[in-house]
Amino acid sequence: MEVISKQKQLRQRRSEALQPVGLVPTMGYLHEGHLSLIRRARQECKTVVVSIYVNPLQFGPNEDFEHYPRDLERDLSLAQEAGADWVFAPTPEEMLPRPLVTQVMVNELTDRLCGASRPGHFDGVATVVTQLFNLIQPDRAYFGLKDAQQVAVIQRMVEDLHMPVIIVPCPTLREPDGLAMSSRNVYLSPTERQRALILNRALQEATKRWEAGEWEKGEEAAAYLADMITSEAGVTLDYAEVLTYPDLEPVESFDQSKAVLAAVAARVGSTRLIDNRIWQREE
Amino acid sequence: MEVISKQKQLRQRRSEALQPVGLVPTMGYLHEGHLSLIRRARQECKTVVVSIYVNPLQFGPNEDFEHYPRDLERDLSLAQEAGADWVFAPTPEEMLPRPLVTQVMVNELTDRLCGASRPGHFDGVATVVTQLFNLIQPDRAYFGLKDAQQVAVIQRMVEDLHMPVIIVPCPTLREPDGLAMSSRNVYLSPTERQRALILNRALQEATKRWEAGEWEKGEEAAAYLADMITSEAGVTLDYAEVLTYPDLEPVESFDQSKAVLAAVAARVGSTRLIDNRIWQREE
């Protein structure tokens, strides 16, 4: 496995790469969720690139950019084990040699859910993903559905701008007790770790009720999720919403919506966590 | 020469194309200025692609999108003569199968000059150029310096987003009497055509004074240009500005600014025309 930090070296390697090229963009501190994306890319591509870059553009001024967990040594050995051919790990100076004036904005899809709580977050995501796509020119790019809104935003950006890449959404991986894997889980104290289980538990219960046809509208399901999460001590609800997927519109009737996203975000102590389910009727 | 209207066919051809691939993006109604770009691309590239697409995104609600001159038959034969291998002429439905929610914005550079008179214009330009770059994947792209701000915006976008393309700025071509070539010149009546010469004449006179070192600051040169254009009957000044190039900042001192853009825009009758000079001290 080769570790690349410079654009120039990356362009050189890319020009000689076997195709298809698969990209797994990450912010590092890899967990099983990331490794499952790398393994999937390994199955489908001749060249597998993992990018490791904590993107300053997608953090708000009061967010955890400075403290976001980093461990490059460990990441490199995990990426290699999972089958990466190259890791692209640029410095911020390499990615942003001068202040950006260009922004890629995906409107509408980004004003709700995490976009409402984190203004500018998805502009930062769309911009850095565009940068990485332009640098690496992948044929396929792998994203985890834990960030379902991110997948919807990127998929729409790719379609709107006719980017020559296929987006491959991959299932969320979970700890044995059901907590969605996230690099931010390391922030949790043992007590918070237990409390955090409410996100998955609420989604699990809501899924049963949806399957049983208990609700007509998305907002009934959202209210159920909100109640259940709010009732957990030490957990502050950020949002609970049930929207069509991937267009993120209100669900007027479950019977008429093919795919629906049930998404929740909450603060456990000072750690913000998200989780979701995609509910899909069989045709 | 092959005429391509569909994305799918374009992708197919692109995958087999000899490289480097050169792109000349146009809105059609080709004149000698466009043809000089095509000829330059022919000299430097193995595959020359001309795109012809009147981009609705870059027209304001009260602008001339509907009436912008179009003549595809004539364009095709001119492009072929000048050496194009393919003309990509998509329909609006092919480029915009559904309403865009994604936008590429280049801030700062786009709030002055034509950006101030035409809000949203450069977002539309940046977005369609990104679409065309993603569809055609050119190694080199050719733009005329008549639209000097456009060149600065695109060059900055390419750098910021690390797009894998080299931007080649090409000199403005002029009619024998000095009028900068533009597809919009067909709108001019014979009287207006004469009046329009003031733009080039003012720039020519200002260039002499700049060469003679008459001015210290950009705004003195700008005031001279404004006076001269305003004094012409039937011509309404939109702006006259002298800014650093390509950063488009005020010129505090000509001695300290390497390259400077003297840019003017005016309405002649109901037709909006632009022209400019780039002033550059030899090192």
Side-chain angles (χ1 to χ4, degrees):
Chain A
M1 190 185 74
E2 187 170 8
V3 182
I4 300 173
S5 61
K6 298 289 180 194
Q7 291 189 29
K8 203 175 153 189
Q9 188 188 357
L10 181 67
R11 300 251 190 234
Q12 181 56 38
R13 286 287 174 281
R14 179 61 183 84
S15 69
E16 308 154 349
L18 291 173
Q19 291 176 312
V21 172
L23 169 64
V24 181
T26 81
M27 299 210 301
Y29 216 73
L30 305 181
H31 53 61
E32 273 300 315
H34 299 109
L35 302 182
S36 73
L37 305 182
I38 302 173
R39 291 188 197 109
R40 171 89 181 262
R42 182 73 282 162
Q43 285 169 10
E44 299 175 351
C45 302
K46 290 257 172 59
T47 304
V48 174
V49 189
V50 175
S51 65
I52 298 183
Y53 176 60
V54 183
N55 167 36
L57 306 176
Q58 73 189 66
F59 288 82
N62 298 313
E63 291 183 359
D64 56 346
F65 174 67
E66 294 297 335
H67 301 107
Y68 195 84
R70 291 161 170 92
D71 189 343
L72 186 58
E73 285 293 297
R74 185 168 158 277
D75 286 346
L76 295 180
S77 81
L78 288 172
Q80 180 162 29
E81 255 173 69
D85 295 306
W86 319 333
V87 166
F88 178 55
T91 58
E93 295 70 35
E94 188 70 15
M95 287 295 277
L96 300 170
R98 57 175 171 173
L100 280 194
V101 298
T102 309
Q103 255 189 324
V104 182
M105 302 183 75
V106 183
N107 301 309
E108 297 178 28
L109 290 184
T110 57
D111 61 8
R112 54 212 71 166
L113 304 176
C114 288
S117 321
R118 307 181 68 186
H121 169 68
F122 285 113
D123 302 338
V125 169
T127 303
V128 80
V129 168
T130 300
Q131 289 180 316
L132 291 169
F133 284 179
N134 284 328
L135 286 166
I136 296 161
Q137 297 172 59
D139 301 291
R140 303 170 69 84
Y142 297 80
F143 291 88
L145 280 167
K146 213 267 269 157
D147 301 295
Q149 187 179 12
Q150 174 173 278
V151 171
V153 166
I154 291 169
Q155 179 65 51
R156 185 65 189 264
M157 171 184 83
V158 163
E159 288 170 23
D160 276 0
L161 298 180
H162 306 307
M163 293 179 172
V165 56
I166 294 167
I167 301 303
V168 185
C170 302
T172 303
L173 263 69
R174 295 180 183 279
E175 302 292 347
D177 60 8
L179 184 71
M181 289 194 185
S182 163
S183 305
R184 289 191 172 96
N185 290 348
V186 294
Y187 294 147
L188 300 169
S189 72
T191 314
E192 289 168 349
R193 178 72 183 66
Q194 280 307 305
R195 288 171 170 171
L197 295 176
I198 189 64
L199 272 67
N200 178 53
R201 227 162 45 226
L203 287 162
Q204 214 163 19
E205 284 302 312
T207 302
K208 281 188 207 154
R209 279 155 205 258
W210 168 77
E211 280 168 350
E214 252 183 54
W215 297 311
E216 195 195 336
K217 286 171 179 285
E219 51 194 39
E220 299 165 52
Y224 176 85
L225 286 164
D227 280 353
M228 202 165 156
I229 293 169
T230 309
S231 67
E232 182 78 18
V235 176
T236 314
L237 184 71
D238 179 357
Y239 64 76
E241 289 199 58
V242 176
L243 302 172
T244 62
Y245 195 78
D247 288 336
L248 308 182
E249 303 285 356
V251 176
E252 296 305 334
S253 152
F254 281 114
D255 285 343
Q256 283 158 34
S257 299
K258 270 183 213 157
V260 157
L261 173 70
V264 297
R267 237 166 245 290
V268 182
S270 58
T271 304
R272 189 172 175 280
L273 299 174
I274 61 174
D275 200 354
N276 70 71
R277 291 289 192 287
I278 292 176
W279 295 336
Q280 198 137 16
R281 297 247 179 259
E282 286 170 31
E283 295 284 310
Chain B
M1 192 185 73
E2 187 171 9
V3 182
I4 300 173
S5 62
K6 298 288 180 195
Q7 292 190 29
K8 201 176 156 188
Q9 189 187 356
L10 181 66
R11 300 248 189 235
Q12 180 57 37
R13 287 287 175 279
R14 179 60 183 87
S15 69
E16 309 153 348
L18 291 174
Q19 292 177 309
V21 172
L23 170 64
V24 180
T26 82
M27 299 209 300
Y29 216 74
L30 303 182
H31 52 63
E32 272 301 314
H34 299 109
L35 303 181
S36 72
L37 305 182
I38 302 173
R39 291 188 198 107
R40 171 91 180 262
R42 182 73 282 160
Q43 285 169 10
E44 299 176 352
C45 302
K46 291 257 173 55
T47 304
V48 174
V49 189
V50 175
S51 65
I52 298 182
Y53 176 60
V54 184
N55 167 34
L57 304 177
Q58 72 188 68
F59 288 81
N62 299 314
E63 291 183 359
D64 56 346
F65 174 68
E66 293 297 334
H67 301 106
Y68 194 85
R70 291 161 171 90
D71 188 344
L72 187 59
E73 286 292 297
R74 186 169 158 277
D75 286 346
L76 294 180
S77 82
L78 288 171
Q80 179 160 32
E81 255 173 69
D85 295 306
W86 318 333
V87 166
F88 177 54
T91 58
E93 294 71 34
E94 188 70 13
M95 287 295 276
L96 300 170
R98 58 174 171 174
L100 279 195
V101 297
T102 309
Q103 255 189 324
V104 182
M105 302 184 73
V106 183
N107 300 308
E108 298 178 26
L109 290 182
T110 57
D111 60 9
R112 53 211 72 167
L113 304 175
C114 288
S117 321
R118 305 181 70 187
H121 169 68
F122 285 112
D123 301 338
V125 169
T127 303
V128 79
V129 169
T130 300
Q131 289 180 316
L132 290 169
F133 285 180
N134 284 327
L135 285 166
I136 296 159
Q137 298 172 58
D139 300 292
R140 302 171 69 85
Y142 297 81
F143 291 89
L145 279 166
K146 214 266 270 153
D147 300 297
Q149 186 179 13
Q150 174 173 277
V151 171
V153 167
I154 291 169
Q155 179 64 52
R156 185 66 189 263
M157 171 184 82
V158 164
E159 289 170 23
D160 276 359
L161 298 180
H162 307 306
M163 292 178 171
V165 57
I166 293 166
I167 301 303
V168 186
C170 300
T172 303
L173 263 70
R174 294 178 184 281
E175 302 293 345
D177 60 8
L179 184 70
M181 289 192 183
S182 164
S183 304
R184 289 192 172 96
N185 290 349
V186 294
Y187 294 147
L188 300 169
S189 73
T191 315
E192 290 169 345
R193 179 71 183 67
Q194 280 308 304
R195 289 172 169 170
L197 295 177
I198 190 62
L199 272 67
N200 178 52
R201 226 163 45 227
L203 286 163
Q204 213 161 21
E205 284 303 313
T207 302
K208 282 188 207 152
R209 281 156 205 258
W210 167 78
E211 281 167 350
E214 249 183 57
W215 297 311
E216 195 196 337
K217 288 171 178 286
E219 52 193 38
E220 298 164 52
Y224 176 86
L225 286 163
D227 279 355
M228 202 166 157
I229 292 169
T230 311
S231 67
E232 182 78 19
V235 175
T236 313
L237 183 70
D238 179 356
Y239 65 75
E241 288 199 59
V242 177
L243 302 173
T244 63
Y245 194 78
D247 288 336
L248 308 183
E249 303 285 354
V251 176
E252 295 306 334
S253 154
F254 280 114
D255 285 342
Q256 283 158 34
S257 298
K258 272 182 213 158
V260 156
L261 174 71
V264 298
R267 236 165 246 289
V268 182
S270 58
T271 303
R272 189 172 175 280
L273 299 175
I274 61 174
D275 202 353
N276 70 71
R277 291 290 192 287
I278 292 176
W279 295 337
Q280 197 137 16
R281 296 249 180 258
E282 286 171 30
E283 297 283 312

